[in-house]
Amino acid sequence: MARKKQVLVTGGSGFIAKHIILALLDEGLSVRASVRNEDRAADVRAAMNTHARDRETLDARLTFVELDLTRDEGWDAALDGCSALIHTASPFPMAQPEDEDELVRPAVDGTLRAMNAARDAGVTRVILTSSTVAVTGTRLPAGRHRYDENDWTDVHSAMTTPYAKSKTLAERAAWSFVREHPEMKLTSINPGLVLGPPLDSRIGTSLELIERLLAGKDPLVPRLGLPVVDVRDIAQMHVRALLRDESVGFRFVGAERFMWMTDLAKVLAAEYPDRRVPTRQAPDWLLRLFAIWDKSIKGILPTLGHETPVNSALAAEILGIEFIEARQAIRTSAASLFREGHVS
């Protein structure tokens, strides 16, 4: 893909998306970012004015458009003059909804709306932000110990949460669309728990987990684990996938390593020994009891005790990613939360 082309990034005010926008700008590309309102556009522009290498040309290379994933209006104008689409927009709640369609329908419909709009506009290059939850929600066969890009979450499994189902079905819909329209060139990026430094005071749901641990809001942590990755690596994965034709047709798992929540908490406790960071593990029965009243707990019950180590070798091989160590991503997240005043 030639430089100096314009890329549409959906969900432009998100934690990951802002890092992608910054990486694109630093590569010399122009960006049109979709946002829900003008206030969010101002936030993104301020973040880029703080962090971008070339700020003199920023006004010309960074523009905004209001888009709604649930509506058809505005997509033609948003994609006009663009050479590629990076679709990051998708709901990511802290608590799982009672009705899974609240997540599944907008994720799937929004992805297909973006894919159709791109095709109609003659934009054939698409990078989709998916998730490791679209990979790891199944049982590994005997003899295999890590998940990779060939694995798909079983959406009918009892351990599949509405969020995991939404990401899996949305990604599957994108790949089905490409099979029906072979002129489309798709790559998906499947991050784990994305940590690292936010570019401004707005933090994503993933960093709220670190904030909660630092604040000592819970006396115990669940028997839960996730693959962990730094947001800067995920941004680079998107940009390198866009710039490297050999990435077309691939899914890329993005994670440095799998970590149990207790191990993640111990990193924070060691870094901030004066804080009451919970490091003891809660028994599963206690969480099931609390889940009667707390929806955020209810949402994690299906994945308690499910170990999901992943293999990110393909990202290293094709995209040349050397992942930042997960413990460093945790420390950087915490330092950023203190700096921005999210934790006192």
Side-chain angles (χ1 to χ4, degrees):
M1 175 183 168
R3 293 175 183 263
K4 307 302 181 185
K5 297 295 181 68
Q6 182 165 253
V7 180
L8 173 64
V9 179
T10 66
S13 62
F15 173 46
I16 296 173
K18 277 184 280 198
H19 274 274
I20 293 172
I21 292 169
L22 177 62
L24 289 168
L25 292 170
D26 285 349
E27 280 287 343
L29 298 166
S30 295
V31 177
R32 180 177 294 153
S34 83
V35 291
R36 283 178 290 180
N37 56 60
E38 291 183 3
D39 289 342
R40 292 297 178 92
D43 290 340
V44 177
R45 183 172 294 282
M48 298 308 121
N49 269 313
T50 300
H51 297 281
R53 292 175 192 159
D54 178 7
R55 300 169 200 175
E56 293 183 3
T57 64
L58 200 57
D59 287 343
R61 294 192 298 124
L62 176 61
T63 56
F64 296 91
V65 61
E66 290 187 29
L67 276 182
D68 186 336
L69 284 179
T70 66
R71 300 174 64 87
D72 292 330
E73 291 81 8
W75 285 91
D76 290 346
L79 285 157
D80 184 42
C82 291
S83 59
L85 164 68
I86 297 181
H87 182 53
T88 78
S90 185
F92 181 17
M94 179 64 83
Q96 300 289 332
E98 291 291 338
D99 181 1
E100 65 179 24
D101 275 349
E102 291 180 23
L103 283 177
V104 174
R105 187 177 298 277
V108 174
D109 290 352
T111 296
L112 288 176
R113 181 169 283 107
M115 297 290 291
N116 272 298
R119 178 177 176 271
D120 291 346
V123 176
T124 59
R125 189 69 177 103
V126 180
I127 312 294
L128 173 69
T129 310
S130 185
S131 172
T132 54
V133 299
V135 173
T136 60
T138 187
R139 299 293 181 186
L140 285 174
R144 285 191 57 208
H145 305 290
R146 291 196 293 172
Y147 294 88
D148 63 27
E149 292 82 2
N150 296 307
D151 296 305
W152 282 94
T153 286
D154 178 3
V155 296
H156 303 294
S157 170
M159 69 179 179
T160 302
T161 65
Y163 174 68
K165 188 172 183 177
S166 75
K167 297 301 289 187
T168 304
L169 291 178
E171 189 188 345
R172 280 200 176 278
W175 287 112
S176 294
F177 185 89
V178 168
R179 285 192 293 272
E180 295 169 4
H181 305 283
E183 72 275 19
M184 301 297 289
K185 299 175 182 178
L186 176 65
T187 303
S188 70
I189 308 297
N190 296 66
L193 176 67
V194 182
L195 302 178
L199 294 180
D200 55 22
S201 61
R202 291 187 181 273
I203 62 172
T205 306
S206 56
L207 289 186
E208 289 177 7
L209 170 63
I210 304 299
E211 179 186 20
R212 188 175 183 116
L213 290 170
L214 288 170
K217 294 180 180 179
D218 308 295
L220 305 168
V221 292
R223 191 167 63 99
L224 181 71
L226 291 165
V228 178
V229 68
D230 192 289
V231 65
R232 292 164 291 185
D233 288 334
I234 294 303
Q236 283 300 317
M237 286 179 71
H238 282 77
V239 175
R240 293 186 189 183
L242 182 66
L243 297 176
R244 299 185 183 191
D245 291 341
E246 56 268 36
S247 74
V248 173
F250 284 98
R251 307 169 78 204
F252 290 96
V253 168
E256 196 272 331
R257 73 177 64 191
F258 172 86
M259 294 186 73
W260 290 108
M261 196 68 68
T262 48
D263 295 324
L264 189 155
K266 287 174 183 176
V267 174
L268 294 173
E271 192 76 4
Y272 302 98
D274 58 325
R275 303 195 70 87
R276 299 177 63 182
V277 178
T279 58
R280 290 193 303 157
Q281 190 166 273
D284 293 353
W285 66 263
L286 184 61
L287 289 170
R288 291 190 175 95
L289 178 63
F290 284 165
I292 297 173
W293 302 281
D294 191 333
K295 289 183 180 180
S296 65
I297 295 177
K298 183 179 179 181
I300 67 172
L301 292 182
T303 55
L304 287 176
H306 182 41
E307 189 171 3
T308 56
V310 294
N311 184 348
S312 298
L314 196 65
E317 177 186 343
I318 295 180
L319 303 180
I321 300 295
E322 296 181 9
F323 287 99
I324 295 167
E325 210 270 339
R327 291 180 179 86
Q328 184 57 36
I330 295 166
R331 296 186 190 101
T332 305
S333 301
S336 298
L337 291 172
F338 279 109
R339 185 174 61 251
E340 296 293 342
H342 289 282
V343 182
S344 57

